[in-house]
Amino acid sequence: MKKILLLLTLASLLPINIISAATYSTGIGTLEFNGKCKDNRPRSQDDHFKAIEKAKLAAWQKYVTKFSAEKRNNYETNKGAFTSKIDKYITEYVILETDCSKSRRVYTVAIKATIDSSGVNVDLNALTADQGASSLLQGKRVAYYIVARKVAGAKSFDARVTKQAEKVNMIDSDETAYSDDTTTSFSGQTTERVKVTTGGSTVRKSEQRQYQLSDNQVGVDNAIANSLKRIQTRPMKGSSIDSRTGNDGLFDTVRQEFIGNGANGDANISDDSFLSIVQGFDHPAIAGRVEHFLLGTMDAGPPRTDPDTGLTAVDVYVNAQLVMVDMGFEEVLAFVGPIARTGMGADERLAENQALKKFQPSTIHMLKAMIDSSAKDTEFDTLIVDESSMIDINLFNDLVKMLPLGSQLILIGDVDQLPPVGAGQPFLDLIRSKKIVVSRLSKQFRQGSDSVIPKVARAINKGELIEFSSDFSSSGFSFVEVEKAQVVDKIIEVVDFFTGNKNGSIDFDKTQILSPMRRYSSGLINLNTIMQKKYNPNGDNVFSKMEGEREIKFCTGDKVICTQNDYDIDVRNGDIGYVVNKVGKNIRVEFDGEMKLFHNNKIDYLDLAYAITVHKSQGSEYPNVVMPIVDDHRIMLTRKLIYTAITRGKQNVCLIGSKRVLREALKKVFLNLRYSNLNQKVENANINLFHQN
């Protein structure tokens, strides 16, 4: 049977790449100049490049703000060594927009910079002498002996106790940040006992836990292997090591010992078995090839009922030690864990599987990290990639490298939407090369057959301004022309109508406000503040964060968007949900009926989502879309951006603002040009790299 791997890139391909060597950051440079403008630039080339240098510095400063606290401290200590050679780290930039004001004599340029984050990390580590755990193991083979267990029960030994209550608490500790911006959360479990005695003293003794082997050893093996691959190691199952060294059955012995069936009766590995593992690494079959191994357990706790959702919850946690073997001598480098993950589902099995999934991230970025230097171990015949217009040249290069010989690559996407965040535009370049088979969708399915939205989108894509209805209450597409000062009030009026607001009751799933920018009165920051006050005035404040000099408050019931991938809690950049409540210092958010707990050190991943940017909306769809078109946002307004926004709507789209600004935007077709020459290279190839079978 052929195996097909389907990758839905969507928001997971937006910024925040936790594995990639490149990071992308935007910056705006502003320069006062003398002279005249030509082609929306100063006549003086020097002024043009001075503004670009300012934009590059702004992009760099924005990139630095995302460092972890430890990494930021190290950077500040050596700041001059980096800012003095900023062009070493900014390997490429794309001019997004230029604006030359004749009246104010001010030139503004916006860029997207490609930053070599791996180079930054290498230089930063060299200056600070802090290589971190990930660099220690990067590229090395790591064997793992992780036993899948279930906690069957626990016995307590107490004197003169007539009544006992036991409460299990999950406690959080600090995150460990690695040099590549990845983090690992460490959590633990404590047991609190409450006893009532009739007299005398109460003697507390240690608890004896009872374990049994889990029937999900394969799932645990996969979870551990994928976790090791995340930090770019080369994992090997301990059982495969044993078979190569003639120690068949050793792992079975280890499993029995870890459930208390060993000779000493303790639920732990014996000295003899540990020594057998160590001696195995000195066997001629693998000598010198494997020098690290991970030894320990992955335990599934007893099922419990989540008080907020009523679902069954299971805690899965890892306890292990990292051991290095050199010439037959072992050295324990670190103790790992407990690393805890919690899953929820309709029953115990589903809850446990959800917990294990959190050890197994699977986006394109993770997949390319999981495949070492060769694709021969990747078992699939066809790779299907959705939203291919969002793939940059570096990610596409990784995709091609991991394709097994003879496999098929199918790319799906819309080249008329916004280009990738990163460098290049491989999807468009391949189509332009005329060397690949291209099938075009002639029928639209998002909107109904009688919808006017596709007709308007086609006109916008051609740069045409057709007659628009101004009646948003009876037309699938409308343009309401108002003065800039009236735009926000009109947005509220339209949102009220689209969402069916009655007596303050509103369903914001029905409508999404899209804004080109975060700033200004019609930007998403101000719009979110206004919408929150109007539509969620009684929500309890659960946390706040600063956006520049403005404090952004988050309340129960607020519509929020996740801005970063987090594979520990299984959320993606672009996921939209609603704030449920505050749990200690943590925040519980509902995404499509599934509850996710954001720890206090990760709540900055959330933004209000009554309004979001058009870039964040790419790959999504909404019943109704409302978008301001104002002069403040002209630097970002382009034909592709407006086309992308319009095609997000299924039933109704309403643009509000200035038709003059819209006409100017439709003329902007030169922005985001990418000169990778990929289409010419493919077109001029002596052989057909792509052909139809």
Side-chain angles (χ1 to χ4, degrees):
M1 179 180 290
K2 290 188 174 182
K3 296 183 179 180
I4 299 177
L5 182 60
L6 175 62
L7 299 177
L8 303 177
T9 63
L10 300 180
S12 66
L13 290 183
L14 294 176
I16 313 303
N17 180 356
I18 69 174
I19 295 294
S20 175
T23 301
Y24 309 101
S25 183
T26 57
I28 297 176
T30 302
L31 180 76
E32 294 183 2
F33 69 98
N34 295 316
K36 297 182 179 180
C37 299
K38 183 181 180 181
D39 297 329
N40 212 29
R41 295 183 180 182
R43 285 186 176 271
S44 171
Q45 287 282 29
D46 287 342
D47 289 337
H48 173 62
F49 287 111
K50 286 179 182 178
I52 288 177
E53 290 303 312
K54 288 190 174 184
K56 288 161 66 175
L57 183 59
W60 172 260
Q61 291 172 341
K62 183 183 289 186
Y63 163 71
V64 170
T65 61
K66 298 179 180 180
F67 285 179
S68 64
E70 181 182 2
K71 189 174 178 180
R72 182 69 178 271
N73 289 334
N74 293 336
Y75 166 77
E76 292 294 340
T77 304
N78 304 277
K79 185 176 181 179
F82 291 89
T83 55
S84 63
K85 50 183 179 182
I86 191 171
D87 285 334
K88 173 185 176 182
Y89 306 110
I90 296 182
T91 58
E92 182 184 63
Y93 66 87
V94 176
I95 296 178
L96 302 177
E97 177 65 285
T98 61
D99 183 58
C100 193
S101 175
K102 299 177 182 178
S103 58
R104 296 184 291 122
R105 300 294 187 202
V106 174
Y107 177 54
T108 303
V109 58
I111 70 167
K112 175 71 71 176
T114 303
I115 299 176
D116 179 14
S117 59
S118 63
V120 173
N121 290 331
V122 169
D123 288 354
L124 192 58
N125 288 334
L127 289 169
T128 61
D130 180 19
Q131 295 299 320
S134 60
S135 60
L136 172 69
L137 300 175
Q138 186 173 352
K140 296 183 178 180
R141 289 188 177 93
V142 179
Y144 58 95
Y145 296 80
I146 302 296
V147 176
R149 304 190 304 188
K150 286 184 178 272
V151 179
K155 294 181 179 180
S156 300
F157 302 91
D158 304 284
R160 307 180 71 175
V161 176
T162 58
K163 189 176 182 180
Q164 174 179 294
E166 183 176 276
K167 181 181 179 181
V168 177
N169 300 313
M170 297 303 297
I171 59 172
D172 303 314
S173 60
D174 296 332
E175 279 196 335
T176 298
Y178 297 107
S179 59
D180 61 353
D181 296 335
T182 64
T183 59
T184 301
S185 296
F186 292 85
S187 303
Q189 179 174 290
T190 62
T191 302
E192 175 187 350
R193 293 178 181 81
V194 181
K195 301 181 177 72
V196 180
T197 64
T198 56
S201 61
T202 300
V203 179
R204 294 186 179 182
K205 297 184 179 180
S206 61
E207 180 182 85
Q208 180 181 330
R209 287 186 176 272
Q210 298 176 339
Y211 299 97
Q212 63 185 39
L213 291 177
S214 170
D215 59 357
N216 199 15
Q217 182 67 50
V218 173
V220 168
D221 286 342
N222 290 336
I224 294 297
N226 289 344
S227 297
L228 289 171
K229 288 171 182 176
R230 286 184 66 179
I231 58 173
Q232 302 178 57
T233 70
R234 304 165 66 184
M236 295 185 66
K237 288 196 299 184
S239 55
S240 76
I241 297 289
D242 297 338
S243 63
R244 292 170 185 260
T245 59
N247 277 338
D248 287 325
L250 176 59
F251 185 62
D252 289 334
T253 300
V254 171
R255 295 180 74 205
Q256 292 297 321
E257 290 177 348
F258 268 117
I259 62 170
N261 288 341
N264 57 10
D266 295 331
N268 207 341
I269 188 173
S270 66
D271 292 341
D272 289 342
S273 295
F274 184 86
L275 183 60
S276 296
I277 293 174
V278 173
Q279 290 175 341
F281 289 98
D282 200 35
H283 191 277
I286 64 167
R289 298 185 180 183
V290 183
E291 58 183 28
H292 294 86
F293 70 95
L294 198 65
L295 174 67
T297 58
M298 177 178 278
D299 298 336
R304 54 185 174 83
T305 301
D306 180 73
D308 296 311
T309 64
L311 296 173
T312 299
V314 172
D315 304 311
V316 176
Y317 48 98
V318 173
N319 281 284
Q321 53 184 313
L322 179 64
V323 184
M324 181 179 71
V325 178
D326 184 20
M327 303 290 294
F329 294 93
E330 75 279 358
E331 179 183 357
V332 179
L333 298 180
F335 290 94
V336 182
I339 305 173
R341 303 289 184 267
T342 300
M344 289 188 287
D347 54 41
E348 180 180 355
R349 186 66 174 182
L350 289 175
E352 182 179 340
N353 288 338
Q354 285 297 318
L356 286 177
K357 284 182 180 180
K358 296 179 180 182
F359 289 93
Q360 306 178 68
S362 60
T363 64
I364 281 183
H365 301 293
M366 285 302 176
L367 184 63
K368 74 184 181 88
M370 290 162 52
I371 300 176
D372 190 21
S373 59
S374 145
K376 62 183 180 180
D377 296 328
T378 310
E379 297 182 357
F380 56 83
D381 301 288
T382 301
L383 176 64
I384 304 174
V385 184
D386 194 16
E387 298 293 341
S388 297
S389 65
M390 303 169 69
I391 302 177
D392 62 35
I393 192 70
N394 294 319
L395 187 56
F396 186 74
N397 179 56
D398 291 321
L399 279 175
V400 173
K401 284 182 177 179
M402 78 182 188
L403 287 174
L405 186 64
S407 61
Q408 185 179 28
L409 176 64
I410 299 176
L411 303 175
I412 303 173
D414 186 351
V415 295
D416 294 320
Q417 293 186 29
L418 292 169
V421 174
Q425 48 186 9
F427 186 53
L428 178 59
D429 285 341
L430 289 173
I431 293 174
R432 286 175 172 174
S433 74
K434 300 179 181 180
K435 285 289 188 81
I436 66 172
V437 178
V438 179
S439 299
R440 299 186 182 275
L441 185 66
S442 59
K443 181 181 179 181
Q444 59 84 23
F445 296 90
R446 175 168 291 166
Q447 299 85 12
S449 58
D450 58 344
S451 174
V452 72
I453 296 176
K455 177 183 177 181
V456 175
R458 287 192 293 270
I460 292 292
N461 201 30
K462 296 177 182 178
E464 299 174 357
L465 190 63
I466 63 177
E467 286 297 322
F468 300 130
S469 171
S470 60
D471 185 4
F472 59 83
S473 65
S474 61
S475 173
F477 185 92
S478 58
F479 192 110
V480 183
E481 189 165 20
V482 296
E483 297 295 325
K484 185 169 67 174
Q486 302 172 308
V487 168
V488 174
D489 289 338
K490 183 58 68 173
I491 288 175
I492 293 174
E493 181 183 344
V494 174
V495 168
D496 274 349
F497 177 80
F498 283 164
T499 55
N501 184 17
K502 298 179 180 179
N503 300 321
S505 177
I506 189 168
D507 182 5
F508 244 102
D509 284 338
K510 293 182 178 180
T511 299
Q512 185 60 62
I513 303 171
L514 303 181
S515 181
M517 296 179 67
R518 300 180 66 84
R519 296 181 296 151
Y520 305 109
S521 61
S522 297
L524 65 91
I525 295 176
N526 188 57
L527 286 174
N528 276 322
T529 301
I530 292 172
M531 297 296 160
Q532 182 190 54
K533 290 180 179 179
K534 178 172 175 60
Y535 297 111
N536 192 29
N538 300 319
D540 296 328
N541 181 222
V542 292
F543 75 98
S544 301
K545 70 177 184 179
M546 299 302 297
E547 182 82 33
E549 297 182 354
R550 181 187 296 221
E551 183 184 24
I552 308 296
K553 294 183 178 180
F554 293 77
C555 305
T556 55
D558 274 337
K559 184 179 182 180
V560 293
I561 185 171
C562 185
T563 61
Q564 295 194 34
N565 296 324
D566 191 302
Y567 303 99
D568 293 337
I569 58 176
D570 194 25
V571 293
R572 302 293 185 269
N573 185 4
D575 286 352
I576 289 179
Y578 293 86
V579 177
V580 177
N581 61 357
K582 187 174 184 179
V583 183
K585 296 182 179 180
N586 310 319
I587 306 299
R588 195 183 304 276
V589 181
E590 180 182 0
F591 295 93
D592 293 328
E594 189 171 356
M595 299 295 177
K596 306 292 184 181
L597 191 66
F598 286 76
H599 290 208
N600 67 316
N601 60 341
K602 296 182 178 181
I603 57 179
D604 282 345
Y605 293 2
L606 299 172
D607 272 344
L608 293 175
Y610 300 100
I612 63 174
T613 63
V614 179
H615 287 78
K616 283 291 187 186
S617 74
Q618 195 164 356
S620 301
E621 61 182 34
Y622 315 97
N624 307 292
V625 168
V626 183
M627 180 180 175
I629 305 290
V630 295
D631 188 68
D632 287 339
H633 297 163
R634 67 186 185 280
I635 193 172
M636 290 297 295
L637 287 171
T638 66
R639 185 186 299 180
K640 282 184 177 288
L641 185 135
I642 294 172
Y643 171 83
T644 301
I646 289 174
T647 53
R648 301 308 93 202
K650 295 177 65 178
Q651 301 172 9
N652 297 285
V653 175
C654 181
L655 306 183
I656 302 172
S658 169
K659 288 186 179 180
R660 173 186 60 80
V661 175
L662 178 61
R663 285 193 293 268
E664 292 177 0
L666 297 185
K667 296 177 182 179
K668 297 181 182 179
V669 294
F670 59 89
L671 303 179
N672 288 298
L673 294 179
R674 314 294 176 88
Y675 300 103
S676 65
N677 293 323
L678 176 61
N679 59 322
Q680 290 90 346
K681 292 178 181 178
V682 176
E683 185 178 352
N684 297 330
N686 293 325
I687 58 172
N688 268 333
L689 301 177
F690 308 91
H691 59 87
Q692 189 169 16
N693 294 324

